[in-house]
Amino acid sequence: MPRSERLLDLIQILRRHRRPLSGRTLADEMGVSIRTLYRDIATLQGQGAPIEGEAGLGYVLKPGFMLPPLMFTDEEIEAIVLGSRWVAKQPDKRLSAAAADALAKIAAVLPDDLREDLDATTLLVGPRSENVEAIDLGVVRQAIRDERKLGFLYRDAGGSPSKRLVWPFALSFFDKVRVIVAWCEMREDFRHFRADRMSELTATDIRYPRRRQSMLKEWRTTLGAAGQSGAKDTSG
């Protein structure tokens, strides 16, 4: 592997981790000697990359570091285009526009030959589902980011309505439906809410008392337990 590619790979590995990684861990992942790893880190630091740490303590890349224009493999380009095209066809208008804008920004910094590959990729996304939500999913995403409670009217599979106040912490995108994962105050448990069954969405300024990451972790644990003991119905 050319040294320039190796340095870029090292940056990418550090970007994936928020906590310090030992030199040995980095060297093993890259398939180089510990001496080479230390030399590469010194090179990147000399070029201005904000890598903090030292031998024996580990290394971490400070947040906010921007890479120069990147080179992509054919499969990386296909993944970027396919993912962006899929998001662009979602009913969340703001997220859809953001996907198109992000793809345009990537294309703007690519060399001419890779930009042509970006435009010419033949991986296509099928037509959007006819199930369109009556709520603004942008409001849901903002509530998740801000850890704020949401209120709405929910209709179950049989059409029966109920008022809900929930603590949203995740939003799942499926081909035909979008599902909000939240702690429901009425059920006093985790629940899944299909967005196409929601109406009268109300964003509140009330911060829920737990961190979304801790709820996400606990929810995933309950899924694992349900899988071992039999599926648990957590819809609505």
Side-chain angles (χ1 to χ4, degrees), residues 98-172:
D101 290 344
L103 194 58
K105 288 179 180 178
I106 292 172
V109 298
L110 287 177
D112 291 341
D113 57 337
L114 291 185
R115 189 180 302 115
E116 290 177 2
D117 291 343
L118 194 73
D119 294 335
T121 180
T122 55
L123 298 184
L124 307 176
V125 178
R128 188 170 68 185
S129 168
E130 294 182 358
N131 289 354
V132 179
E133 293 85 5
I135 64 170
D136 184 351
L137 289 176
V139 173
V140 176
R141 290 188 288 104
Q142 188 65 50
I144 292 173
R145 286 194 294 267
D146 296 341
E147 299 180 339
R148 296 295 192 269
K149 296 182 182 183
L150 281 177
F152 52 85
L153 178 70
Y154 191 70
R155 296 185 181 276
D156 61 21
S160 299
S162 59
K163 287 282 189 177
R164 303 297 181 98
L165 187 64
V166 305
W167 311 350
F169 59 87
L171 179 59
S172 297

Side-chain angles (χ1 to χ4, degrees), residues 62-79:
K62 292 180 64 176
F65 176 64
M66 300 298 292
L67 287 172
L70 297 179
M71 301 292 287
F72 294 101
T73 66
D74 290 341
E75 289 187 342
E76 287 171 341
I77 286 178
E78 289 178 341

Side-chain angles (χ1 to χ4, degrees), residues 81-107:
V81 174
L82 186 62
S84 297
R85 286 177 175 174
W86 186 85
V87 174
K89 289 199 173 185
Q90 295 301 305
D92 187 330
K93 293 182 179 179
R94 280 183 278 179
L95 200 61
S96 174
D101 290 344
L103 194 58
K105 288 179 180 178
I106 292 172

Side-chain angles (χ1 to χ4, degrees), residues 194-211:
R194 285 181 47 155
D196 57 343
R197 295 177 181 171
M198 296 169 57
S199 60
E200 301 179 19
L201 182 67
T202 303
T204 78
D205 292 327
I206 306 172
R207 182 163 190 158
Y208 48 75
R210 298 183 60 189
R211 300 310 303 268

